[in-house]
Amino acid sequence: MTKYKKLRNPKFTASNIILNIVFILIAFVCVFPVLLTIGISVADESSIIAHGYQLIPEQFSFSSYEYIWQAKDTVLRAYGVTIFVTVVGTVMSTLVLAFYAYAISRKDFRYRKAFTFYMFFTMLFGGGVVAWYMVITTILHLKNTIWVMILPHVMNGWNIIVLRSFFTSAIPDEMIEAAKLDGAGEFKIFFSLVMPLSLPGLATIALFQTLGYWNDWTLPLYFITKPELWNLQFLLQNMIANIQKLTENAGGMYSVAQGADVPVEGARMALCLIAAGPIIIVYPFFQKYFIQGLTVGSIKG
């Protein structure tokens, strides 16, 4: 009887074993490019030319990181800009999105349909890049300011939909009514009741916004001409795109001494790791809320 129970244990069913194998393969496919990037970044340039990309290089060398280290002041400044933009932008946008989504999730909000329509309309139609550029530069005067990398991403229609669905599913109307009967105002209800109960949904949206701010390089491309305001992604995009040219221009800001060999392939991979490293470290702290926030928010819209 004991052997029969062991055989019937769900952990040992054929479907679970197959699923585990499939997910192990998927995990390997996701992790392998990262490991390969690490291997290339610590490989000697001559080894890459002779043997191609290898997970374990024939010859190890940290010349790629030494090359990047020569531009450490520029890279660290770009890191500072990116961290400031990401932290301030994530906090600001998550709060604004939460206010908007909570308002349109309340059935007793008089202008709920109007604000919902406005949000959907902006998702479907836009004024175009030229009109957007003119508004930011000539009306808001945000060009060459750090706020031009924050404010355009504060609102996001899709994230509002996800967060509104979460509020509708996770916060019962009866709980709101009970808080009102106890004398709580709207802001008291939102910050003391709704926010603590909505951590999974808020963490999910915060992760989306964090990734958006961290990986964005288009806003600096359009609106930033001062190198001291370049964020990390725009700086690295420029360095990767022009690294071959920099090898021929020893007077460039990021180039090494005259006549020295530049690890072109290794430097590109090292730059990718430098850009992705902090997000890889931060993601596990959001993961416990991420799946719960998406699944609860998708129960009903």
Side-chain angles (χ1 to χ4, degrees):
M1 187 69 178
T2 305
K3 292 182 179 179
Y4 177 75
K5 287 184 178 180
K6 287 183 178 180
L7 290 174
R8 297 293 295 175
N9 192 325
K11 294 182 180 180
F12 298 99
T13 60
S15 60
N16 280 347
I17 293 174
I18 293 173
L19 284 175
N20 288 331
I21 293 174
V22 170
F23 282 117
I24 289 172
L25 292 175
I26 293 174
F28 176 77
V29 170
C30 294
V31 173
F32 181 78
V34 179
L35 299 178
L36 183 60
T37 302
I38 295 173
I40 298 170
S41 70
V42 296
D44 185 75
E45 189 71 13
S46 60
S47 174
I48 297 175
I49 295 174
H51 304 284
Y53 294 160
Q54 292 180 317
L55 191 63
I56 302 177
E58 295 286 337
Q59 296 179 356
F60 287 88
S61 173
F62 291 94
S63 58
S64 300
Y65 295 96
E66 293 172 359
Y67 172 74
I68 297 172
W69 183 249
Q70 297 187 42
K72 60 181 180 298
D73 293 337
T74 304
V75 174
L76 290 176
R77 182 172 61 244
Y79 250 116
V81 171
T82 300
I83 291 172
F84 177 84
V85 168
T86 301
V87 173
V88 175
T90 299
V91 173
M92 182 183 298
S93 62
T94 303
L95 189 60
V96 171
L97 293 172
F99 279 140
Y100 200 112
Y102 175 68
I104 63 176
S105 71
R106 290 280 299 273
K107 296 179 180 179
D108 57 345
F109 179 46
R110 181 183 301 177
Y111 305 104
R112 177 188 181 192
K113 292 183 178 180
F115 276 87
T116 302
F117 172 78
Y118 175 79
M119 182 265 298
F120 276 114
F121 186 85
T122 57
M123 291 177 63
L124 299 175
F125 303 100
V129 176
V130 175
W132 172 64
Y133 182 87
M134 292 179 64
V135 168
I136 291 178
T137 55
T138 61
I139 298 177
L140 300 179
H141 302 288
L142 293 177
K143 187 176 182 179
N144 281 325
T145 66
I146 199 163
W147 296 104
V148 79
M149 293 181 281
I150 297 176
L151 297 181
H153 291 325
V154 166
M155 291 296 291
N156 185 295
W158 173 254
N159 288 344
I160 290 175
I161 294 175
V162 174
L163 203 51
R164 183 203 63 175
S165 301
F166 184 90
F167 286 142
T168 304
S169 303
I171 310 297
D173 293 336
E174 293 78 9
M175 188 179 297
I176 304 296
E177 295 300 326
K180 284 185 175 181
L181 291 176
D182 290 337
E186 292 294 344
F187 283 99
K188 179 72 172 178
I189 293 173
F190 182 79
F191 287 105
S192 300
L193 181 64
V194 176
M195 292 283 280
L197 294 176
S198 305
L199 285 180
L202 294 174
T204 301
I205 298 305
L207 179 60
F208 288 158
Q209 294 298 108
T210 298
L211 294 175
Y213 280 112
W214 186 270
N215 292 322
D216 180 64
W217 59 272
T218 56
L219 290 177
L221 176 65
Y222 291 142
F223 303 110
I224 301 296
T225 58
K226 297 180 179 178
E228 60 269 20
L229 290 177
W230 287 357
N231 66 0
L232 182 65
Q233 295 295 340
F234 184 65
L235 174 66
L236 299 187
Q237 189 270 342
N238 279 339
M239 293 176 71
I240 292 174
N242 298 300
I243 197 168
Q244 190 64 43
K245 182 179 179 180
L246 293 173
T247 62
E248 303 170 359
N249 179 16
M253 181 168 50
Y254 312 112
S255 55
V256 294
Q258 181 75 30
D261 294 329
V262 177
V264 177
E265 298 298 331
R268 288 173 179 169
M269 299 304 172
L271 289 170
C272 292
L273 290 175
I274 289 173
I279 292 298
I280 295 175
I281 295 173
V282 169
Y283 180 77
F285 296 98
F286 288 92
Q287 186 179 12
K288 62 180 179 180
Y289 299 110
F290 184 68
I291 297 176
Q292 183 181 354
L294 285 180
T295 53
V296 174
S298 64
I299 292 176
K300 60 180 180 179

